[in-house]
Amino acid sequence: SSLLIVDNNHFLRTSLRQQFIAEGFENVFEVGSVTGLNAALKDANPDLILLDILMPDKDGWTVLGELKALDETRDIPIIVVSMMDDDHSAVSLGADAFMTKPVDRDQLIVKIESIFGQSLAGRRALVVDDDAQARDILSRTLTQCGLDVEEAENGAIAFGKVSEGYDLVILDLSMPVMD
């Protein structure tokens, strides 16, 4: 079986790729934006597509509509994988399923350590998310790893804090005030 992962988050794509290879998918392709989607579709000839909604060059809703409108891709099952809550839009627009992106603590720590090495003590992190609970969970996780953590509840506040100097910024892409 062949799988195509369309998501601008490299870490998530890599993680999903590894999981699906372990599950027996023979060919797992990934693309970081929809600009490369046409070439990836031809190379992958996928049996299944995992599609993110929040992407910088074109949103996943538009891509989903385009894929379902083309004869060549209409029948390929598509699973929407997003940080947004499922409001049943994905299935009503032609997706076969919807999954939310949870923040996997262990995978997050591995990624951060791969960026900075094993020693995170003394490094500063800024967590930007309009969801107070998500900010709290991420902040506690990062603090347990030895990072000095500050929070911002939207992009405008974060933009003002960035000049204070941080080693790491973790942010939600869909927020009020400034996304």
Side-chain angles (χ1 to χ4, degrees), residues 19-38:
Q19 290 174 19
F20 279 98
I21 288 173
E23 289 295 322
F25 276 81
E26 296 150 6
N27 298 303
V28 181
F29 298 85
E30 51 183 275
V31 62
S33 70
V34 295
T35 54
L37 183 58
N38 288 336

Side-chain angles (χ1 to χ4, degrees), residues 57-164:
D57 48 358
K58 188 187 293 187
D59 69 65
W61 300 123
T62 303
V63 175
L64 176 61
E66 291 172 354
L67 289 170
K68 289 303 178 179
L70 294 172
D71 290 338
E72 304 84 34
T73 55
R74 173 178 293 130
D75 296 326
I76 300 172
I78 297 174
I79 298 174
V80 170
V81 181
S82 178
M83 294 183 302
M84 300 185 309
D85 289 332
D86 182 11
D87 64 357
H88 305 290
S89 297
V91 173
S92 69
L93 292 172
D96 294 83
F98 180 95
M99 295 171 46
T100 56
K101 290 181 182 178
V103 174
D104 182 290
R105 180 189 182 282
D106 294 333
Q107 290 178 351
L108 178 64
I109 292 168
V110 167
K111 180 63 174 175
I112 292 169
E113 287 176 345
S114 73
I115 294 170
F116 297 115
Q118 296 298 316
S119 177
L120 300 178
R123 298 210 181 258
R124 297 185 68 216
L126 177 63
V127 175
V128 186
D129 198 317
D130 60 313
D131 181 334
Q133 184 177 11
R135 275 195 324 268
D136 181 58
I137 291 169
L138 282 169
S139 293
R140 282 188 286 129
T141 298
L142 297 174
T143 300
Q144 289 171 355
C145 294
L147 290 157
D148 178 25
V149 181
E150 291 190 37
E151 299 179 7
E153 56 269 4
N154 63 51
I157 293 171
F159 193 71
K161 288 183 169 238
V162 168
S163 64
E164 297 173 21

